[in-house]
Amino acid sequence: MRLSSLADYAVVMMTAAAREGAGGRSNATLLAGQTGVPLPTAQKLVSRLASAGLIESTRGTGGGIRLARDADTISLADIVEAVDGPIALTACVDGAAHDCGLEMQCRVRPHWHVVNQAVRAAFSGVTLATLAADPVESQVMDVSPRPGVFA
Amino acid sequence: MRLSSLADYAVVMMTAAAREGAGGRSNATLLAGQTGVPLPTAQKLVSRLASAGLIESTRGTGGGIRLARDADTISLADIVEAVDGPIALTACVDGAAHDCGLEMQCRVRPHWHVVNQAVRAAFSGVTLATLAADPVESQVMDVSPRPGVFA
DNA sequence: TCCAATCGGACGGATTTGGTCCGATTGGCA
DNA sequence: TGCCAATCGGACCAAATCCGTCCGATTGGA
């Protein structure tokens, strides 16, 4: 039940990218410097995030990356799935690969689907805009929904 | 974001053990036969589950294992944490080990705590009694639209 | 007292993950 | 128009973790 390091890094990098503003451009080298992620790893993540359609990348001199959508339309689930693949607690829940090996008419399986959806909902409920918000406010009261909260 | 195979097996085995009834005794060999889990692996799991206090094991001839508590007081979170360790999405959320490596005053960290709690709640909400219940009932409540599928 | 049955911990192999490097592509500049 | 610099994109390799197996320790019955 632990998130992969790559996914963790990706979230941090996307948060840094979001702080550049809507049209602000950045690049892998810059993000690596801001976040502390090793540069080669940052490059790999940029590649994956671009493939998933979360960021747009332009090559060549003066190129860089840019958020493909607004920050409030990108959820934590999007980022994690872009790096780690679909959020699937067990092999049963994702469509493919039913080589469960366990003979019996698995009684547990239908329940996994419910749990999996709950987990995914927890990730989908957090947007990148929330993550990029001022840390002071979010640090003090996170769960309580104060009125007029940025985002 | 995938559960370990060991944890998956443990859930299946605990479900099988719960179907033995409150005071019903079983053993690692029997559970392995019922669930399809390889015997050595089943033994390892029994060991861990006993250490966590979820089951009580007695050695010697005629020994075996037995649920330490009622099935409705054992949650999915208990089983998973007994095998995989604490449910912690990142290294930040579990108390120890703050060797994050990332310099900056991590803006993302306070949010991880919220997500982690939500995930843990999803696991805590499902009891072993629910898992051991008649699959027909749980199947109806399930999202799976097609009738009479599984396996 | 001996024997059989069961749990408990230790070891080795295998798959996945994470990190690094080099090539392909593009825009700017002389 | 040709060259060069900067950037992304994919492939390779090492490391760590996870899974499966085996053997020893312990206990109750005959």
Side-chain angles (χ1 to χ4, degrees):
Chain A
M1 264 334 294
R2 181 159 299 194
L3 211 61
S4 74
S5 300
L6 272 300
D8 192 358
Y9 291 164
V11 173
V12 176
M13 286 181 59
M14 286 291 283
T15 304
R19 289 182 59 82
E20 297 291 336
R25 285 179 186 79
S26 183
N27 58 44
T29 305
L30 195 62
L31 289 180
Q34 292 175 351
T35 58
V37 175
L39 177 58
T41 301
Q43 289 179 345
K44 176 198 277 283
L45 288 174
V46 166
S47 175
R48 290 201 196 179
L49 293 170
S51 299
L54 297 183
I55 60 177
E56 290 178 356
S57 63
T58 55
R59 304 170 88 152
T61 307
I65 60 173
R66 180 168 63 88
L67 260 61
R69 305 198 298 266
D70 284 342
D72 54 0
T73 63
I74 299 177
S75 72
L76 242 175
D78 294 329
I79 302 173
V80 171
E81 291 191 333
V83 176
D84 275 5
I87 294 178
L89 267 53
T90 66
C92 315
V93 291
D94 65 353
H98 283 285
D99 51 356
C100 190
L102 306 187
E103 44 173 74
M104 62 169 201
Q105 68 290 5
C106 185
R107 303 175 181 280
V108 188
R109 201 174 111 195
H111 297 281
W112 276 130
H113 201 74
V114 179
V115 177
N116 198 76
Q117 277 194 329
V119 171
R120 202 180 185 290
F123 280 84
S124 299
V126 181
T127 67
L128 187 56
T130 304
L131 292 174
D134 192 353
V136 178
E137 304 192 19
S138 55
Q139 185 180 357
V140 177
M141 322 219 87
D142 213 354
V143 253
S144 60
R146 292 170 46 197
V149 177
F150 41 90
Chain B
M1 266 332 295
R2 181 158 300 192
L3 211 60
S4 75
S5 301
L6 272 300
D8 193 358
Y9 290 164
V11 173
V12 175
M13 286 180 59
M14 286 291 283
T15 303
R19 289 183 59 83
E20 296 292 335
R25 289 179 184 78
S26 183
N27 58 44
T29 305
L30 196 61
L31 289 179
Q34 291 176 351
T35 59
V37 175
L39 176 58
T41 301
Q43 290 179 344
K44 177 199 279 283
L45 288 174
V46 166
S47 175
R48 290 200 194 179
L49 292 170
S51 299
L54 297 183
I55 60 178
E56 290 177 356
S57 64
T58 55
R59 304 170 87 150
T61 308
I65 61 174
R66 179 168 64 87
L67 260 62
R69 305 197 298 266
D70 284 341
D72 54 0
T73 63
I74 298 177
S75 71
L76 242 175
D78 294 328
I79 302 173
V80 171
E81 291 192 333
V83 176
D84 275 3
I87 294 178
L89 268 54
T90 65
C92 315
V93 291
D94 64 355
H98 282 284
D99 51 353
C100 190
L102 306 187
E103 44 172 73
M104 63 168 201
Q105 68 291 3
C106 184
R107 303 176 182 280
V108 186
R109 204 174 108 194
H111 297 282
W112 277 131
H113 199 73
V114 179
V115 177
N116 199 75
Q117 277 192 331
V119 170
R120 202 180 184 290
F123 280 84
S124 300
V126 180
T127 68
L128 187 58
T130 304
L131 292 174
D134 193 352
V136 178
E137 303 188 19
S138 55
Q139 184 185 359
V140 176
M141 298 297 295
D142 190 17
V143 267
S144 62
R146 290 166 49 194
V149 182
F150 58 95

